[in-house]
């Protein structure tokens, strides 16, 4: 079959143009008033056969899905390679953390995230980078990474624990308590337990105590402000009627 200009061939509207001779014959036939009904039907059948023939996919059309499939396989292989390299960078970051080389650990986890920003282990990379930021006392940045990790994996206990620790040092004790409570819940569900739970429980208790003191100070502050306002109002009344 033929092709239309600039087309891939074989579409509903891709009938090839008739040859010049065929065009001329068609024009002359249209001038004949005595063309029989039988000839009209035969011509219609010929046109329908031509339409069906031209509508069949060409070899080029058949090749396109195969090429797309090859690209998909290639993309999958590349993604797997990137994920493997990201895991290698995470392992390097863990070694730096163990050696208390926190800036190098941060850089390694950042490299892992660049390689796999939304992969199957990206929440771990973010949580680990939050841990390195906590060790560098960059608590606000640690909270951001921990929240991103929680967003990717809401039941990942370690991310909640690191968010709790970041908020604790930012003196946001209410948020810290909530994060530690979530950490304990998900760590127990995942069966981690052990040392992680002990540390989380200790910090949860500290956060609760800090929150209680913070709320007590705020309560006294509000009470003092109310007393001061009442005293000022009383002085004004005395001045007015004294």
């Amino acid at each position: 079959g033929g092709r239309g200009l600039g087309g891939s061939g074989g579409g509903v509207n891709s009938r090839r143009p008739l040859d010049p001779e065929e065009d001329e014959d068609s024009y002359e036939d249209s001038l004949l008033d005595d063309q029989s009904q039988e000839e009209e039907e035969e011509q219609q059948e010929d046109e329908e056969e031509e339409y069906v023939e031209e509508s069949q996919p060409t070899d080029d059309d058949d090749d396109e899905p195969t090429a797309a499939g090859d690209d998909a396989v290639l993309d999958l292989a590349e993604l797997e390679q990137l994920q493997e390299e990201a895991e290698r960078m995470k392992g390097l970051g863990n070694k730096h953390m163990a050696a208390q080389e926190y800036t190098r650990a941060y850089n390694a986890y950042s490299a892992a995230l660049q390689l796999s920003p939304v992969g199957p282990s990206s929440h771990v990379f973010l949580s680990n980078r939050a841990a390195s930021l906590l060790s560098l006392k960059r608590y606000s940045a640690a909270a951001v990474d921990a929240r991103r990790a929680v967003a990717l994996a809401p039941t990942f206990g370690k991310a909640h624990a690191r968010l709790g620790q970041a908020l604790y040092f930012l003196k946001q004790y209410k948020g810290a308590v909530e994060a530690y409570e979530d950490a304990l819940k998900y760590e127990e569900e995942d069966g981690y337990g052990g040392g992680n739970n002990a540390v989380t429980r200790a910090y949860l208790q500290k956060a609760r105590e800090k929150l209680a003191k913070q709320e007590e100070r705020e309560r006294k502050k509000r009470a003092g402000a109310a007393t001061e306002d009442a005293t000022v109002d009383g002085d004004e009344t005395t001045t007015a009627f004294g």
Side-chain angles (χ1 to χ4, degrees):
R3 288 178 173 270
L5 293 178
S8 58
V12 172
N13 298 320
S14 60
R15 292 182 54 192
R16 64 179 175 84
L18 297 174
D19 293 336
E21 293 180 357
E22 293 174 336
D23 282 339
E24 183 177 354
D25 291 341
S26 298
Y27 176 72
E28 291 174 353
D29 289 342
S30 68
L31 299 179
L32 299 177
D33 295 333
D34 60 346
Q35 187 177 35
S36 68
Q37 182 67 25
E38 181 179 355
E39 288 175 338
E40 290 179 358
E41 291 175 353
E42 289 176 355
Q43 182 179 1
Q44 183 177 2
E45 289 175 358
D46 291 342
E47 289 177 351
E48 289 175 352
E49 289 176 358
E50 181 184 31
Y51 171 79
V52 171
E53 180 182 355
E54 291 299 317
S55 298
Q56 299 302 316
T58 64
D59 291 341
D60 291 340
D61 291 332
D62 290 340
D63 289 340
E64 289 177 1
T66 303
D70 291 343
D71 289 342
V73 172
L74 181 60
D75 290 343
L76 180 59
E78 289 177 350
L79 286 173
E80 290 176 349
Q81 185 176 359
L82 288 173
Q83 182 63 29
E84 289 176 2
E85 180 63 16
E87 291 289 348
R88 190 182 73 81
M89 296 308 297
K90 183 199 79 170
L92 182 61
N94 291 349
K95 290 180 179 179
H96 286 311
M97 285 293 289
Q100 298 183 354
E101 298 170 347
Y102 302 125
T103 298
R104 290 182 177 180
Y106 170 84
N107 291 336
Y109 296 137
S110 296
L113 282 164
Q114 287 179 342
L115 291 164
S116 180
V118 288
S121 299
S122 298
H123 63 289
V124 178
F125 305 155
L126 283 163
S127 179
N128 286 8
R129 192 169 73 171
S132 69
L133 287 165
L134 287 168
S135 298
L136 291 168
K137 302 186 187 318
R138 294 173 58 186
Y139 303 123
S140 293
V144 170
D145 272 1
R147 282 195 173 100
R148 289 176 62 193
V150 167
L152 289 177
T155 62
F156 186 47
K158 287 184 179 180
H160 288 279
R162 283 159 185 167
L163 175 59
Q165 193 170 4
L167 296 177
Y168 177 87
F169 287 113
L170 290 170
K171 298 182 179 180
Q172 298 178 20
Y173 300 119
K174 184 177 181 180
V177 167
E178 293 174 353
Y180 281 132
E181 288 175 344
D182 287 338
L184 282 174
K185 173 185 174 182
Y186 295 123
E187 284 174 0
E188 289 172 354
E189 288 180 359
D190 291 340
Y192 290 140
N196 287 336
N197 273 352
V199 173
T200 301
R201 289 183 188 281
Y203 269 106
L204 174 58
Q205 184 58 35
K206 288 182 179 180
R208 284 172 173 166
E209 292 172 358
K210 293 281 189 179
L211 177 60
K213 291 179 180 179
Q214 187 180 64
E215 289 177 343
E216 179 64 17
R217 285 196 301 269
E218 290 176 357
R219 188 188 65 78
K220 289 181 178 179
K221 185 183 296 184
R222 288 194 298 269
T227 302
E228 184 177 347
D229 290 342
T231 302
V232 171
D233 291 341
D235 291 342
E236 290 176 353
T237 302
T238 302
T239 302
F241 296 97

